Amino acid sequence: MDQKTALNKIEGKEIIVLDVRSVGEFEEGHVPGAINIPHNQVEERLAELSQYQDKPVLVYCRSGRRAAMAETILTETGFKQLHHLQGDMIEWSKNNLPIEK
């Protein structure tokens, strides 16, 4: 999903945002309203995410690799409305889009 569309959906509360970076990266700044579950904990924390299984979920990390890994796990466990934030956090920051701390 491109960044402008993502921002509109976030502001309209139409999408769940999942940040799969480390806790430290998340605390340094994240997309507003994001939930932080590091990519290497997604599988063990599926119970926390199950409530969003039938909702649109936007996944991102710093550059895309970890988000892709998380998306694979979520797809295999039944998530059907997954979206990857185009450009991830690198592009979000470069575009000076809102960041929450």
Side-chain angles (χ1 to χ4, degrees):
M1 177 178 294
D2 71 76
Q3 303 233 334
K4 186 175 183 202
T5 302
L7 183 59
N8 288 335
K9 289 190 177 292
I10 292 164
E11 289 174 342
K13 301 192 182 331
E14 301 168 40
I15 198 161
I16 306 302
V17 183
L18 178 61
D19 183 324
V20 296
R21 298 175 302 154
S22 70
V23 172
E25 288 172 297
F26 182 80
E27 288 173 351
E28 287 174 15
H30 53 271
V31 172
I35 298 164
N36 180 227
I37 297 183
H39 79 285
N40 58 355
Q41 296 177 20
V42 169
E43 201 160 8
E44 65 198 51
R45 294 176 65 184
L46 281 170
E48 292 172 53
L49 294 169
S50 63
Q51 62 186 314
Y52 308 120
Q53 194 165 0
D54 298 322
K55 296 184 170 121
V57 177
L58 180 68
V59 182
Y60 76 93
C61 63
R62 188 184 71 81
S63 65
R65 186 181 63 83
R66 292 175 285 179
M69 293 164 62
E71 285 178 80
T72 299
I73 293 166
L74 294 170
T75 299
E76 289 171 353
T77 55
F79 284 75
K80 294 183 181 18
Q81 296 187 63
L82 286 176
H83 304 277
H84 189 131
L85 178 61
Q86 186 178 5
D88 294 275
M89 196 65 189
I90 289 175
E91 192 173 317
W92 189 269
S93 298
K94 198 185 308 181
N95 290 333
N96 293 313
L97 293 171
I99 292 176
E100 204 172 73
K101 290 188 179 192

XYZ file of all heavy atoms in Angstrom:
805
model
N 0.853 -1.171 0.000
C 0.000 0.000 0.000
C 0.900 1.235 0.000
O 1.839 1.307 0.788
C -0.896 -0.018 1.244
C -1.784 1.202 1.381
S -2.870 1.112 2.834
C -3.929 -0.264 2.400
N 0.585 2.175 -0.866
C 1.424 3.378 -0.917
C 1.228 4.222 0.343
O 0.242 4.087 1.059
C 1.150 4.182 -2.201
C -0.205 4.865 -2.186
O -0.339 5.886 -1.487
O -1.122 4.386 -2.879
N 2.192 5.084 0.592
C 2.228 5.826 1.845
C 1.054 6.788 2.020
O 0.494 6.884 3.111
C 3.563 6.568 1.935
C 4.728 5.596 1.812
C 5.719 5.707 2.917
O 5.868 6.736 3.536
N 6.428 4.628 3.177
N 0.656 7.473 0.972
C -0.455 8.427 1.079
C -1.762 7.696 1.406
O -2.526 8.129 2.278
C -0.590 9.220 -0.225
C -1.622 10.309 -0.134
C -1.666 11.170 -1.379
C -2.689 12.275 -1.146
N -3.210 12.858 -2.324
N -2.021 6.588 0.719
C -3.223 5.792 0.992
C -3.188 5.284 2.431
O -4.192 5.334 3.141
C -3.325 4.610 0.005
O -3.351 5.135 -1.327
C -4.558 3.769 0.252
N -2.019 4.797 2.845
C -1.867 4.296 4.217
C -2.189 5.384 5.235
O -2.943 5.151 6.181
C -0.459 3.760 4.425
N -1.633 6.571 5.038
C -1.876 7.670 5.965
C -3.367 8.005 6.044
O -3.914 8.185 7.137
C -1.073 8.903 5.567
C -1.187 10.111 6.498
C -0.741 9.768 7.919
C -0.388 11.279 5.970
N -4.039 8.033 4.904
C -5.480 8.311 4.894
C -6.262 7.248 5.661
O -7.179 7.561 6.420
C -6.005 8.408 3.456
C -5.544 9.687 2.772
O -5.246 10.679 3.420
N -5.487 9.653 1.456
N -5.894 5.975 5.482
C -6.592 4.891 6.175
C -6.295 4.909 7.675
O -7.161 4.619 8.486
C -6.228 3.536 5.557
C -6.837 3.364 4.178
C -6.683 1.957 3.668
C -7.354 1.751 2.336
N -8.804 1.822 2.383
N -5.063 5.272 8.025
C -4.693 5.371 9.445
C -5.485 6.507 10.094
O -6.075 6.331 11.160
C -3.174 5.598 9.598
C -2.410 4.340 9.160
C -2.822 5.985 11.030
C -0.938 4.551 8.892
N -5.497 7.656 9.456
C -6.226 8.806 10.006
C -7.724 8.529 10.093
O -8.396 9.014 11.004
C -5.951 10.055 9.171
C -4.538 10.576 9.364
C -4.166 11.734 8.452
O -4.859 11.953 7.428
O -3.173 12.423 8.762
N -8.246 7.732 9.165
C -9.659 7.371 9.182
C -9.970 6.164 10.047
O -11.102 5.694 10.095
N -8.939 5.656 10.720
C -9.075 4.476 11.592
C -9.688 3.290 10.834
O -10.484 2.529 11.380
C -9.865 4.809 12.852
C -9.216 5.915 13.667
C -9.815 6.043 15.034
C -9.267 7.134 15.890
N -7.938 7.597 15.772
N -9.280 3.142 9.580
C -9.792 2.066 8.733
C -8.860 0.874 8.656
O -9.156 -0.103 7.968
C -9.992 2.585 7.302
C -10.936 3.746 7.169
C -10.859 4.369 5.788
O -10.740 3.637 4.791
O -10.906 5.608 5.707
N -7.704 0.944 9.326
C -6.714 -0.122 9.198
C -5.936 -0.271 10.501
O -5.723 0.705 11.212
C -5.773 0.174 7.999
C -5.038 -1.078 7.544
C -4.824 1.330 8.293
C -4.465 -0.965 6.131
N -5.557 -1.495 10.824
C -4.707 -1.792 11.979
C -3.268 -1.706 11.481
O -2.940 -2.245 10.423
C -4.980 -3.225 12.503
C -6.465 -3.453 12.793
C -4.097 -3.537 13.703
C -7.097 -2.534 13.779
N -2.399 -1.053 12.231
C -1.000 -0.903 11.819
C -0.123 -1.766 12.727
O -0.176 -1.638 13.950
C -0.554 0.571 11.897
C 0.878 0.706 11.382
C -1.499 1.465 11.098
N 0.659 -2.640 12.106
C 1.526 -3.556 12.841
C 2.986 -3.268 12.496
O 3.408 -3.432 11.357
C 1.176 -5.010 12.489
C 2.039 -6.093 13.137
C 1.946 -6.040 14.664
C 1.620 -7.476 12.624
N 3.730 -2.825 13.488
C 5.160 -2.538 13.362
C 5.903 -3.777 13.866
O 5.775 -4.146 15.022
C 5.498 -1.317 14.228
C 6.940 -0.871 14.141
O 7.835 -1.734 14.019
O 7.180 0.346 14.225
N 6.681 -4.411 12.994
C 7.370 -5.644 13.385
C 8.868 -5.419 13.636
O 9.647 -6.358 13.635
C 7.127 -6.790 12.363
C 5.655 -7.163 12.327
C 7.635 -6.438 10.977
N 9.237 -4.158 13.887
C 10.627 -3.858 14.239
C 10.866 -4.190 15.716
O 9.946 -4.538 16.449
C 10.927 -2.377 13.982
C 10.780 -1.974 12.523
C 10.967 -0.493 12.325
N 10.013 0.257 13.130
C 10.207 1.489 13.573
N 11.320 2.138 13.293
N 9.291 2.100 14.301
N 12.094 -4.041 16.162
C 12.421 -4.299 17.568
C 11.740 -3.255 18.461
O 11.347 -2.175 17.995
C 13.934 -4.235 17.771
O 14.387 -2.894 17.645
N 11.650 -3.564 19.739
C 11.051 -2.638 20.705
C 11.818 -1.320 20.709
O 11.232 -0.242 20.728
C 10.995 -3.275 22.117
C 10.550 -2.258 23.156
C 10.074 -4.487 22.117
N 13.150 -1.392 20.667
C 13.973 -0.185 20.666
C 13.696 0.696 19.458
O 13.572 1.917 19.589
N 13.597 0.082 18.274
C 13.291 0.846 17.057
C 11.921 1.499 17.177
O 11.727 2.649 16.809
C 13.305 -0.070 15.827
C 14.677 -0.528 15.395
C 14.583 -1.568 14.298
O 14.027 -2.658 14.546
O 15.071 -1.289 13.187
N 10.945 0.734 17.685
C 9.581 1.228 17.857
C 9.567 2.450 18.770
O 8.915 3.448 18.482
C 8.702 0.106 18.415
C 7.257 0.477 18.599
C 6.387 0.479 17.515
C 6.751 0.805 19.849
C 5.040 0.808 17.676
C 5.407 1.133 20.018
C 4.556 1.132 18.927
N 10.302 2.372 19.888
C 10.320 3.465 20.860
C 10.977 4.722 20.310
O 10.672 5.831 20.743
C 11.005 3.009 22.147
C 10.143 2.024 22.927
C 10.841 1.411 24.129
O 12.070 1.601 24.295
O 10.146 0.731 24.900
N 11.871 4.569 19.327
C 12.522 5.718 18.699
C 11.552 6.507 17.818
O 11.788 7.668 17.507
C 13.716 5.272 17.865
C 14.901 4.850 18.705
C 16.036 4.273 17.866
O 16.040 4.444 16.625
O 16.914 3.640 18.465
N 10.469 5.878 17.412
C 9.461 6.533 16.593
C 8.794 5.543 15.664
O 9.457 4.686 15.086
N 7.467 5.657 15.561
C 6.699 4.714 14.745
C 5.506 5.413 14.090
O 5.175 6.544 14.429
C 6.227 3.525 15.592
C 5.496 3.945 16.837
N 6.142 4.193 18.023
C 4.195 4.184 17.075
C 5.259 4.561 18.937
N 4.064 4.572 18.379
N 4.890 4.707 13.166
C 3.680 5.189 12.518
C 2.613 5.353 13.603
O 2.451 4.474 14.460
C 3.223 4.180 11.425
C 1.864 4.539 10.871
C 4.273 4.102 10.304
N 1.877 6.466 13.610
C 0.875 6.703 14.652
C -0.117 5.539 14.808
O -0.630 5.014 13.826
C 0.152 7.963 14.165
C 1.175 8.679 13.349
C 1.957 7.578 12.660
N -0.333 5.164 16.060
C -1.300 4.123 16.376
C -0.823 2.702 16.149
O -1.578 1.757 16.337
N 0.439 2.535 15.766
C 0.948 1.193 15.473
C 1.030 0.325 16.724
O 1.283 0.806 17.825
C 2.313 1.283 14.809
N 0.837 -0.965 16.508
C 1.025 -1.992 17.525
C 2.408 -2.570 17.252
O 2.746 -2.847 16.100
C -0.024 -3.121 17.353
C -1.438 -2.577 17.524
C 0.261 -4.271 18.310
C -2.507 -3.518 16.986
N 3.202 -2.782 18.298
C 4.545 -3.327 18.092
C 4.621 -4.774 18.539
O 4.437 -5.089 19.702
C 5.567 -2.479 18.862
C 6.991 -2.977 18.713
O 7.714 -3.104 19.689
N 7.414 -3.244 17.509
N 4.867 -5.653 17.569
C 5.175 -7.050 17.851
C 6.369 -7.386 16.959
O 6.212 -7.489 15.736
C 3.981 -7.992 17.584
C 2.819 -7.643 18.515
C 4.424 -9.454 17.765
C 1.610 -8.539 18.406
N 7.575 -7.498 17.539
C 8.751 -7.794 16.723
C 8.532 -9.040 15.858
O 7.858 -9.989 16.278
C 9.855 -8.020 17.761
C 9.417 -7.166 18.931
C 7.917 -7.311 18.945
N 9.101 -9.025 14.655
C 8.863 -10.098 13.678
C 9.168 -11.481 14.240
O 8.481 -12.438 13.916
C 9.671 -9.850 12.395
C 11.104 -10.231 12.498
N 12.030 -9.474 13.190
C 11.773 -11.305 12.017
C 13.205 -10.073 13.120
N 13.079 -11.174 12.411
N 10.172 -11.583 15.114
C 10.533 -12.897 15.647
C 9.622 -13.338 16.800
O 9.824 -14.392 17.383
C 12.003 -12.917 16.070
C 12.341 -11.863 17.110
O 11.506 -11.037 17.476
N 13.563 -11.880 17.582
N 8.597 -12.530 17.116
C 7.621 -12.897 18.155
C 6.206 -13.060 17.597
O 5.289 -13.419 18.329
C 7.591 -11.826 19.247
C 8.882 -11.690 20.012
C 8.816 -10.551 21.026
O 7.744 -10.101 21.415
N 9.975 -10.085 21.460
N 6.031 -12.794 16.304
C 4.687 -12.822 15.717
C 4.016 -14.171 15.934
O 2.865 -14.232 16.385
C 4.730 -12.446 14.214
C 3.399 -12.741 13.531
C 5.100 -10.976 14.044
N 4.732 -15.247 15.649
C 4.126 -16.573 15.765
C 3.673 -16.871 17.191
O 2.563 -17.349 17.406
C 5.129 -17.631 15.287
C 4.452 -18.915 14.889
C 5.323 -19.770 13.983
O 6.504 -19.457 13.773
O 4.784 -20.765 13.483
N 4.512 -16.565 18.178
C 4.158 -16.869 19.567
C 3.116 -15.905 20.136
O 2.530 -16.185 21.175
C 5.408 -16.912 20.439
C 6.129 -15.591 20.571
C 7.562 -15.727 21.061
O 8.309 -16.521 20.481
O 7.907 -15.013 22.014
N 2.890 -14.774 19.458
C 1.929 -13.787 19.958
C 0.689 -13.679 19.064
O -0.029 -12.680 19.106
C 2.629 -12.437 20.107
C 3.708 -12.485 21.203
C 4.495 -11.223 21.330
N 3.682 -10.102 21.777
C 4.149 -8.862 21.893
N 5.407 -8.584 21.612
N 3.356 -7.889 22.287
N 0.423 -14.738 18.309
C -0.746 -14.738 17.412
C -2.058 -14.508 18.152
O -2.976 -13.903 17.602
C -0.816 -16.049 16.618
C 0.125 -16.130 15.423
C 0.145 -17.546 14.874
C -0.265 -15.142 14.345
N -2.153 -14.955 19.392
C -3.388 -14.773 20.161
C -3.724 -13.287 20.292
O -4.895 -12.905 20.224
C -3.258 -15.421 21.535
N -2.693 -12.444 20.433
C -2.916 -10.994 20.539
C -3.432 -10.416 19.230
O -4.145 -9.412 19.229
C -1.605 -10.277 20.884
C -1.078 -10.574 22.262
C 0.308 -9.978 22.464
O 0.492 -8.769 22.226
O 1.217 -10.734 22.860
N -3.036 -11.021 18.129
C -3.403 -10.500 16.806
C -4.684 -11.103 16.256
O -5.257 -10.573 15.310
C -2.255 -10.767 15.817
C -0.962 -10.025 16.109
C 0.164 -10.561 15.239
C -1.158 -8.541 15.875
N -5.146 -12.216 16.826
C -6.285 -12.941 16.259
C -7.540 -12.075 16.115
O -8.319 -12.275 15.184
C -6.594 -14.191 17.080
O -6.975 -13.834 18.394
N -7.711 -11.093 16.979
C -8.881 -10.212 16.893
C -8.894 -9.383 15.609
O -9.910 -8.846 15.219
C -8.940 -9.295 18.109
C -7.736 -8.374 18.221
C -7.735 -7.579 19.510
O -8.755 -7.022 19.888
N -6.590 -7.534 20.182
N -7.738 -9.287 14.946
C -7.626 -8.499 13.707
C -7.618 -9.361 12.449
O -7.431 -8.851 11.359
C -6.343 -7.652 13.733
C -6.193 -6.823 14.980
C -5.110 -7.000 15.820
C -7.143 -5.866 15.327
C -4.966 -6.235 16.981
C -7.021 -5.108 16.482
C -5.926 -5.297 17.299
O -5.803 -4.548 18.433
N -7.821 -10.651 12.607
C -7.706 -11.598 11.493
C -8.593 -11.248 10.292
O -8.203 -11.456 9.158
C -8.023 -13.005 11.985
C -7.604 -14.079 11.019
C -7.580 -15.449 11.665
O -7.886 -15.602 12.843
N -7.225 -16.445 10.908
N -9.765 -10.695 10.537
C -10.689 -10.370 9.446
C -10.729 -8.876 9.129
O -11.643 -8.403 8.458
C -12.101 -10.870 9.798
C -12.147 -12.373 9.956
O -11.462 -13.065 9.174
O -12.834 -12.862 10.865
N -9.736 -8.147 9.624
C -9.686 -6.700 9.390
C -8.467 -6.366 8.533
O -7.506 -7.123 8.485
C -9.599 -5.967 10.728
C -10.836 -6.183 11.574
C -10.770 -5.377 12.849
C -12.111 -5.432 13.518
N -12.134 -5.968 14.806
N -8.482 -5.199 7.874
C -7.294 -4.788 7.127
C -6.137 -4.501 8.085
O -6.311 -3.782 9.070
C -7.731 -3.511 6.407
C -9.200 -3.410 6.577
C -9.584 -4.259 7.740
N -4.982 -5.090 7.803
C -3.795 -4.914 8.632
C -2.648 -4.446 7.741
O -2.351 -5.060 6.722
C -3.402 -6.236 9.346
C -2.116 -6.063 10.149
C -4.533 -6.724 10.244
N -2.011 -3.364 8.147
C -0.861 -2.803 7.440
C 0.400 -3.191 8.213
O 0.530 -2.873 9.389
C -0.985 -1.280 7.376
C 0.124 -0.530 6.664
C 0.095 -0.828 5.167
C -0.018 0.967 6.904
N 1.307 -3.893 7.554
C 2.530 -4.374 8.198
C 3.728 -3.582 7.665
O 3.806 -3.319 6.465
C 2.740 -5.881 7.913
C 3.982 -6.403 8.620
C 1.520 -6.691 8.327
N 4.640 -3.229 8.564
C 5.877 -2.571 8.111
C 7.014 -2.855 9.076
O 6.809 -3.252 10.224
C 5.674 -1.057 7.949
C 5.642 -0.281 9.239
C 6.801 0.292 9.748
C 4.468 -0.131 9.962
C 6.788 0.998 10.941
C 4.442 0.577 11.147
C 5.603 1.136 11.632
O 5.589 1.828 12.817
N 8.227 -2.634 8.579
C 9.432 -2.682 9.407
C 10.316 -1.517 8.961
O 9.794 -0.499 8.510
C 10.132 -4.040 9.304
S 10.739 -4.455 7.662
N 11.620 -1.667 9.049
C 12.495 -0.574 8.631
C 12.611 -0.517 7.115
O 12.438 0.521 6.507
C 13.883 -0.726 9.259
C 14.789 0.484 9.026
C 16.185 0.260 9.565
N 16.920 -0.702 8.764
C 17.543 -0.428 7.622
N 17.532 0.789 7.143
N 18.179 -1.361 6.955
N 12.892 -1.686 6.509
C 13.132 -1.693 5.058
C 12.309 -2.710 4.283
O 12.301 -2.684 3.062
C 14.619 -1.935 4.787
O 14.976 -3.232 5.245
N 11.627 -3.621 4.954
C 10.749 -4.565 4.261
C 11.005 -6.035 4.515
O 10.100 -6.850 4.403
N 12.220 -6.408 4.869
C 12.549 -7.831 5.032
C 11.773 -8.479 6.179
O 11.149 -9.527 6.020
C 14.062 -7.986 5.257
C 14.532 -9.418 5.287
C 16.035 -9.515 5.541
N 16.411 -8.971 6.848
C 16.330 -9.656 8.001
N 15.866 -10.895 8.009
N 16.692 -9.110 9.136
N 11.792 -7.857 7.343
C 11.099 -8.439 8.506
C 9.583 -8.420 8.323
O 8.888 -9.344 8.748
C 11.500 -7.701 9.787
C 12.957 -7.943 10.162
C 13.386 -7.119 11.347
N 13.574 -5.730 10.939
C 13.935 -4.759 11.760
N 14.138 -5.007 13.048
N 14.107 -3.529 11.317
N 9.080 -7.372 7.679
C 7.634 -7.308 7.427
C 7.205 -8.468 6.528
O 6.161 -9.079 6.757
C 7.265 -5.969 6.793
N 8.009 -8.787 5.521
C 7.683 -9.897 4.626
C 7.646 -11.217 5.394
O 6.767 -12.054 5.157
C 8.697 -9.966 3.482
N 8.574 -11.388 6.335
C 8.582 -12.608 7.150
C 7.310 -12.695 8.001
O 6.681 -13.749 8.099
C 9.832 -12.629 8.031
C 11.119 -12.763 7.231
S 12.616 -12.333 8.157
C 12.628 -13.524 9.462
N 6.934 -11.579 8.602
C 5.725 -11.545 9.436
C 4.484 -11.798 8.593
O 3.576 -12.535 9.010
C 5.618 -10.205 10.155
N 4.446 -11.214 7.395
C 3.291 -11.410 6.508
C 3.117 -12.883 6.149
O 1.982 -13.364 6.065
C 3.461 -10.601 5.229
C 3.218 -9.123 5.426
C 3.441 -8.358 4.135
O 2.536 -8.357 3.297
O 4.541 -7.788 3.981
N 4.207 -13.582 5.930
C 4.136 -15.009 5.608
C 3.453 -15.770 6.743
O 2.534 -16.556 6.508
C 5.546 -15.578 5.346
O 6.105 -14.891 4.223
C 5.504 -17.064 5.058
N 3.872 -15.511 7.969
C 3.278 -16.182 9.137
C 1.795 -15.832 9.241
O 0.951 -16.711 9.447
C 4.023 -15.784 10.428
C 5.447 -16.332 10.399
C 3.275 -16.271 11.672
C 6.371 -15.722 11.442
N 1.462 -14.556 9.097
C 0.069 -14.131 9.234
C -0.805 -14.718 8.127
O -1.933 -15.148 8.390
C -0.009 -12.602 9.250
C 0.643 -11.945 10.471
C 0.726 -10.439 10.287
C -0.102 -12.298 11.753
N -0.300 -14.762 6.917
C -1.058 -15.343 5.802
C -1.328 -16.829 6.063
O -2.441 -17.311 5.868
C -0.293 -15.164 4.474
O -0.128 -13.772 4.237
C -1.049 -15.782 3.303
N -0.301 -17.530 6.538
C -0.437 -18.966 6.815
C -1.426 -19.239 7.941
O -1.964 -20.337 8.041
C 0.927 -19.569 7.169
C 1.859 -19.670 5.977
C 3.282 -20.074 6.360
O 3.604 -20.146 7.575
O 4.081 -20.299 5.427
N -1.682 -18.253 8.787
C -2.613 -18.458 9.909
C -3.971 -17.807 9.664
O -4.743 -17.628 10.600
C -1.991 -17.960 11.231
O -1.582 -16.601 11.081
C -0.796 -18.797 11.624
N -4.254 -17.433 8.416
C -5.605 -17.026 8.066
C -5.884 -15.548 7.887
O -7.032 -15.169 7.657
N -4.874 -14.700 7.998
C -5.102 -13.275 7.752
C -5.265 -13.059 6.252
O -4.426 -13.492 5.469
C -3.927 -12.437 8.279
C -3.927 -12.277 9.773
C -3.548 -13.327 10.603
C -4.320 -11.085 10.356
C -3.554 -13.189 11.982
C -4.335 -10.933 11.727
C -3.950 -11.985 12.543
N -6.356 -12.412 5.861
C -6.658 -12.273 4.440
C -6.561 -10.835 3.921
O -6.536 -10.614 2.725
C -8.049 -12.833 4.152
C -8.108 -14.332 4.390
C -9.453 -14.894 4.049
C -9.619 -16.368 4.261
N -8.726 -17.082 5.089
N -6.520 -9.858 4.808
C -6.482 -8.450 4.382
C -5.177 -7.783 4.807
O -5.173 -6.732 5.422
C -7.677 -7.696 4.970
C -9.024 -8.196 4.471
C -10.125 -7.297 4.975
O -10.171 -6.114 4.647
N -11.001 -7.842 5.803
N -4.060 -8.429 4.448
C -2.747 -7.896 4.796
C -2.268 -6.933 3.725
O -2.436 -7.177 2.538
C -1.728 -9.024 4.926
C -1.834 -9.899 6.163
C -0.803 -11.019 6.086
C -1.628 -9.092 7.427
N -1.644 -5.864 4.166
C -1.058 -4.879 3.256
C 0.338 -4.561 3.771
O 0.555 -4.498 4.973
C -1.900 -3.597 3.235
C -3.317 -3.829 2.877
N -3.752 -3.940 1.586
C -4.401 -4.031 3.661
C -5.062 -4.160 1.581
N -5.465 -4.225 2.831
N 1.258 -4.367 2.853
C 2.633 -4.009 3.223
C 2.805 -2.524 2.917
O 2.473 -2.072 1.823
C 3.626 -4.847 2.401
C 5.034 -4.706 2.870
N 5.829 -5.781 3.108
C 5.790 -3.613 3.148
C 7.020 -5.347 3.510
N 7.008 -4.035 3.538
N 3.328 -1.782 3.884
C 3.570 -0.354 3.694
C 4.720 -0.175 2.710
O 5.859 -0.548 3.005
C 3.897 0.320 5.025
C 4.213 1.817 4.961
C 3.014 2.607 4.427
C 4.634 2.331 6.328
N 4.416 0.369 1.564
C 5.416 0.597 0.522
C 6.521 1.504 1.054
O 6.250 2.579 1.589
C 4.730 1.235 -0.683
C 5.585 1.399 -1.896
C 4.779 2.002 -3.043
O 3.617 2.365 -2.892
N 5.407 2.111 -4.180
N 7.759 1.062 0.945
C 8.891 1.856 1.414
C 9.165 1.735 2.900
O 10.164 2.248 3.385
N 8.279 1.097 3.626
C 8.427 0.868 5.059
C 8.805 2.153 5.809
O 8.511 3.247 5.347
C 9.408 -0.284 5.312
C 8.837 -1.597 4.785
O 8.078 -2.238 5.527
O 9.107 -1.962 3.616
N 9.453 2.021 6.970
C 9.735 3.180 7.828
C 10.765 4.114 7.212
O 10.710 5.324 7.438
C 10.193 2.700 9.213
C 10.149 3.772 10.267
S 8.430 4.295 10.567
C 8.708 5.703 11.619
N 11.680 3.574 6.414
C 12.693 4.431 5.780
C 12.003 5.503 4.940
O 12.282 6.694 5.070
C 13.670 3.593 4.917
C 14.572 2.760 5.824
C 14.496 4.487 4.003
C 15.493 1.803 5.072
N 11.080 5.084 4.080
C 10.392 6.048 3.208
C 9.422 6.925 4.000
O 9.271 8.108 3.709
C 9.656 5.310 2.084
C 9.177 6.236 0.992
C 8.604 5.491 -0.199
O 9.184 4.493 -0.632
O 7.537 5.929 -0.682
N 8.761 6.355 5.002
C 7.825 7.121 5.836
C 8.557 8.314 6.456
O 8.085 9.446 6.418
C 7.239 6.211 6.921
C 6.122 6.792 7.717
C 6.231 7.499 8.887
C 4.728 6.724 7.430
N 4.979 7.852 9.336
C 4.043 7.389 8.464
C 3.979 6.145 6.404
C 2.654 7.504 8.510
C 2.596 6.253 6.442
C 1.948 6.929 7.479
N 9.739 8.059 7.015
C 10.540 9.121 7.621
C 11.021 10.118 6.572
O 10.977 11.325 6.789
C 11.751 8.532 8.340
O 11.326 7.691 9.384
N 11.483 9.606 5.441
C 11.998 10.456 4.362
C 10.908 11.394 3.850
O 11.178 12.537 3.474
C 12.504 9.574 3.211
C 13.421 10.291 2.253
C 13.830 9.447 1.057
C 14.396 8.109 1.441
N 14.819 7.312 0.284
N 9.664 10.930 3.860
C 8.535 11.738 3.385
C 7.997 12.678 4.461
O 6.988 13.355 4.262
C 7.406 10.837 2.875
C 7.777 10.150 1.577
O 8.578 10.644 0.796
N 7.191 8.984 1.347
N 8.644 12.686 5.638
C 8.230 13.539 6.764
C 6.775 13.325 7.163
O 6.059 14.278 7.485
C 8.485 15.024 6.446
C 9.966 15.324 6.347
O 10.740 14.916 7.210
N 10.362 15.999 5.290
N 6.350 12.070 7.146
C 4.987 11.743 7.567
C 4.973 11.647 9.100
O 6.023 11.525 9.735
C 4.538 10.447 6.899
C 4.375 10.602 5.373
C 4.145 9.256 4.711
C 3.255 11.558 5.019
N 3.792 11.716 9.720
C 3.720 11.766 11.191
C 4.371 10.569 11.861
O 4.213 9.430 11.419
C 2.217 11.779 11.483
C 1.523 11.973 10.190
C 2.492 11.733 9.090
N 5.104 10.861 12.925
C 5.764 9.818 13.719
C 5.371 10.018 15.171
O 5.350 11.137 15.678
C 7.290 9.874 13.538
C 7.651 9.461 12.107
C 8.001 8.986 14.558
C 9.109 9.551 11.765
N 5.047 8.909 15.821
C 4.640 8.910 17.223
C 5.777 8.312 18.035
O 6.445 7.394 17.591
C 3.394 8.011 17.316
C 2.473 8.272 18.453
C 1.209 7.435 18.291
O 1.258 6.216 18.485
O 0.177 8.025 17.918
N 5.966 8.829 19.251
C 6.989 8.259 20.146
C 6.382 7.893 21.470
O 5.392 8.408 21.869
C 8.127 9.258 20.375
C 8.948 9.453 19.132
C 10.179 10.281 19.442
C 10.993 10.437 18.175
N 12.295 10.947 18.365
